[in-house]
Amino acid sequence: EIVLTQSPTTMAASPGEKVTLTCRASSSVSYMHWYQQRSGASPKLWIYETSKLASGVPNRFSGSGSGTSYSLTINSMETEDAATYYCQQGSSYPNTFGAGTKLELK
Amino acid sequence: QVQLKESGPGLVQPSRTLSLTCTVSGFSLTSYGVSWVRQPPGKGLEWIAAIWSGGSTDYNSALKSRLSISRDTSKSQVLLKMNSLQTEDTAMYFCARSYYYSGEDYFDYWGQGVMVTVSS
């Protein structure tokens, strides 16, 4: 099973600040997918196939990476971006998720 | 539009069997797979099981002996059964549409979830 390690576990960012979340895989994967989960809500697909934004996702978000190292970047933090972000790999059975990064507004 | 909705009992006694239903609309179960993913309170996401468009199934190996996933295409429903429930199975259970392409799988639509509490 591929283990995904996300860092940091928790972070706070000020409006306008650039934010980078990372996800490292224990073995190489073809793509990384990211989900946003706001408090009390179900997860939403946010970035798929490493760098493609899901429908409705603002273009201040971007994704990059390859092999075992991937990242999600917010170019300029906004209030509505406060949430928990999970990475997920679907290249190798079974699907696995990272433990999440909780992003708070400073 | 694509929708998934979970239903099931909110409270189950330890050692009993849990039965959950995911009713989908806006797509066909013969065209897309559906997975179950759970989330214990305050914790992360865990993939549990999937049923694919062709009807084949996959299970989380840690839970496989206790799980059964099936579908009723005429009702657009996916059914999950988990036996021998323990308190550690207390969680929000989500169903999600699996987008599978060329060996890659991710979840593009999610239901609202159903909270299951295991307690006597």
Side-chain angles (χ1 to χ4, degrees):
Chain A
E1 169 175 320
I2 293 180
V3 176
L4 301 181
T5 303
Q6 291 188 241
S7 61
T9 302
T10 306
M11 70 171 294
S14 301
E17 186 177 345
K18 184 174 183 177
V19 173
T20 298
L21 313 181
T22 65
C23 179
R24 287 193 163 76
S26 58
S27 298
S28 182
V29 297
S30 301
Y31 297 101
M32 193 61 70
H33 316 290
W34 296 85
Y35 301 85
Q36 181 197 68
Q37 185 178 35
R38 295 198 174 111
S39 182
S42 53
K44 290 183 179 178
L45 179 65
W46 213 244
I47 295 175
Y48 63 101
E49 295 175 9
T50 302
S51 60
K52 298 176 181 178
L53 301 186
S55 177
V57 175
N59 60 13
R60 62 180 177 274
F61 284 86
S62 63
S64 64
S66 65
T68 62
S69 184
Y70 293 83
S71 63
L72 178 157
T73 298
I74 306 172
N75 197 44
S76 178
M77 175 77 178
E78 296 200 6
T79 304
E80 64 186 25
D81 301 337
T84 300
Y85 294 85
Y86 293 94
C87 58
Q88 175 250 329
Q89 68 81 23
S91 305
S92 173
Y93 172 85
N95 278 303
T96 49
F97 291 90
T101 292
K102 185 174 184 179
L103 175 60
E104 298 174 326
L105 190 67
K106 194 184 291 183
Chain B
Q1 70 276 31
V2 173
Q3 291 185 324
L4 301 95
K5 187 171 184 179
E6 305 87 347
S7 58
L11 180 66
V12 182
Q13 291 182 329
S15 81
R16 297 288 197 168
T17 296
L18 171 67
S19 294
L20 296 176
T21 300
C22 176
T23 303
V24 310
S25 58
F27 70 97
S28 171
L29 294 177
T30 58
S31 297
Y32 290 88
V34 170
S35 285
W36 287 93
V37 176
R38 70 179 181 179
Q39 184 173 37
K43 297 190 176 180
L45 302 166
E46 179 185 33
W47 173 79
I48 298 172
I51 187 163
W52 304 107
S53 57
S56 61
T57 58
D58 278 317
Y59 298 98
N60 181 317
S61 57
L63 302 168
K64 187 173 183 176
S65 63
R66 300 196 289 136
L67 291 173
S68 173
I69 188 170
S70 61
R71 68 184 185 181
D72 185 335
T73 55
S74 67
K75 295 182 179 179
S76 294
Q77 291 180 334
V78 174
L79 312 173
L80 180 75
K81 290 186 186 296
M82 179 185 295
N83 59 32
S84 304
L85 250 62
Q86 305 161 29
T87 54
E88 307 88 84
D89 296 313
T90 293
M92 184 73 81
Y93 285 75
F94 298 100
C95 60
R97 191 175 81 167
S98 279
Y99 186 89
Y100 182 85
Y101 178 75
S102 193
E104 189 66 25
D105 179 35
Y106 54 89
F107 311 107
D108 59 352
Y109 290 90
W110 295 65
Q112 63 191 21
V114 57
M115 184 66 203
V116 175
T117 301
V118 181
S119 175
S120 54

